[in-house]
Structures are given as structure tokens and as C-alpha cells.
Amino acid sequence: GSFLCVCGTQALVGAMDNPTRLFSLVAFGMSALYVVYDILKKRRSVETAPAEEPYAGPKRRFVRRNSVSAECGFNPDSVSTRPKPYYEKTEEQRAWLAQIMKSNILFQGLDEDHLNQVIDSFYPVQRNSGDVVIQQGDSGNEFFVAQDGVYQIIKDGAKLGTLTKGACFGELALMYNTPRAVNIACIGDGPHRLWATDRETFTQVL
């Protein structure tokens, strides 16, 4: 410390005739003082810090959670004990459903075993032209994959577009008991065949 003071004094005397150099030295000195002050402050805080208490393991936290919506009559315990649903499909149908599931963000994290269980749970649904598959405002429980046919998307009476083979809709119904956001109605001629699974099955598989 004494050495730094002597050096600093000599440098300051030598810079008296050079204002630019004098200003630089003063600025450097102020910065050095701030660094020393900060070091001393941290050292003092460490020396005066209270002793750590023995580790007693993680503390349990009880947090009250607000659910999106209550599911009336839905008992998770009953889901875990019931047999996993299985509906017969051809190898071609299973391969097609697997391709659709792997391209859907909701199922991309599933391993092969869980993916096969989801595919097992899909059951066939047949609709006719003019039928409404999903009704806006209704409580949703099913997720659909269109095997064929054309489906109109309608929200508040406005036509938003159409869905065709391979389209998925009703994903939110697998996670939340929320009202359907749109209508999905069958339009055009020909068959309107779909595959469907429900929230209870999805919860059981996961």
C-alpha cells in the first residue's frame, strides 16, 4: 500500500505540467479506489456472514394450484386401474396413424411403446355429410384424425377453411376440459371416416 502511494505521488507530480495526463491519472486513481473498496466490502460481508445451518433436506412446498377447469365425474385413480383400450387395426392403418402422430407436436415426445399404446386406443368413427363432429362451445373430450372426407371449420358463423385426410383436431380436449373453440362439420360427398381417442385414455397412457 505504501509503495502504491509513493508511486502514485511521483506520477502525480510528474504530470502537473500535462493536464491530459493529469486527468487520466486522477481517473485511474478513482477507479483503483473503487476496486479496493469493493474488495474490502466483500471481505467484510464474508467475515460477518452467519454460519450455515446443517442441511436438513429439501423443504416441501405446498402450493395451491388453480386448474384450467374441473372435470366433473372424472377420477384419475379409475383411469390408472382400468385395462388399456385396444381396437383392432391393420398394419397399414397402424403405420399411417404412427406417421400422423409423429408429425403432431403433442405426440412427438412419446417413445415407441407409448406411441403404440396411443395408436391402440384409437377407435373408428363414421360420420355423414352435414354432421357436426365438433360443436363450438361444447365440452371437449375427444381428439380426431381424419382418414378421409372434407371438413369445414366454422367459428361464430364464419367459415375459416377446410380439413382433409390426415388432419388432426381437438388436441386441447386431451389436456383440458375447455369448451370447443370452433365447429368442425362434414361437407361434400363420400365417406367421412375418422379415428378418435379420448382424454381418459391419453391420461392413462402418459
Side-chain angles (χ1 to χ4, degrees), residues 127-202:
R127 293 287 185 268
N128 300 312
S129 183
D131 289 349
V132 176
V133 183
I134 284 179
Q135 180 70 51
Q136 182 178 355
D138 283 358
S139 176
N141 184 56
E142 293 176 303
F143 166 75
F144 296 93
V145 179
Q147 180 175 320
D148 48 34
V150 181
Y151 305 83
Q152 183 79 61
I153 308 171
I154 305 171
K155 182 177 179 61
D156 299 327
K159 296 179 180 179
L160 304 181
T162 57
L163 302 171
T164 56
K165 180 178 179 178
C168 302
F169 49 92
E171 288 94 336
L172 284 180
L174 295 182
M175 298 180 289
Y176 310 110
N177 181 27
T178 57
R180 298 290 196 183
V182 296
N183 287 346
I184 304 290
C186 303
I187 61 173
D189 298 329
H192 290 79
R193 292 175 296 182
L194 309 103
W195 292 97
T197 190
D198 56 43
R199 186 185 319 120
E200 288 81 0
T201 298
F202 184 74

Side-chain angles (χ1 to χ4, degrees), residues 49-192:
E52 294 186 0
E53 296 181 0
Y55 179 67
K59 296 181 179 180
R60 297 184 64 184
R61 297 180 62 191
F62 297 90
V63 181
R64 181 167 183 161
R65 300 178 59 187
N66 295 322
S67 60
V68 173
S69 179
E71 177 66 27
C72 298
F74 176 65
N75 184 2
D77 294 333
S78 65
V79 169
S80 61
T81 57
R82 74 176 186 177
K84 289 184 172 64
Y86 175 82
Y87 296 91
E88 194 71 37
K89 302 171 185 70
T90 66
E91 287 301 316
E92 182 181 0
Q93 289 171 330
R94 292 187 66 87
W96 181 76
L97 283 170
Q99 182 181 2
I100 298 298
M101 295 300 98
K102 289 177 180 178
S103 64
N104 188 299
I105 191 171
L106 186 63
F107 302 94
Q108 286 177 354
L110 297 182
D111 57 32
E112 203 66 26
D113 181 55
H114 286 92
L115 183 63
N116 282 323
Q117 290 183 47
V118 172
I119 294 172
D120 289 343
S121 72
F122 276 98
Y123 49 88
V125 175
Q126 177 77 47
R127 293 287 185 268
N128 300 312
S129 183
D131 289 349
V132 176
V133 183
I134 284 179
Q135 180 70 51
Q136 182 178 355
D138 283 358
S139 176
N141 184 56
E142 293 176 303
F143 166 75
F144 296 93
V145 179
Q147 180 175 320
D148 48 34
V150 181
Y151 305 83
Q152 183 79 61
I153 308 171
I154 305 171
K155 182 177 179 61
D156 299 327
K159 296 179 180 179
L160 304 181
T162 57
L163 302 171
T164 56
K165 180 178 179 178
C168 302
F169 49 92
E171 288 94 336
L172 284 180
L174 295 182
M175 298 180 289
Y176 310 110
N177 181 27
T178 57
R180 298 290 196 183
V182 296
N183 287 346
I184 304 290
C186 303
I187 61 173
D189 298 329
H192 290 79

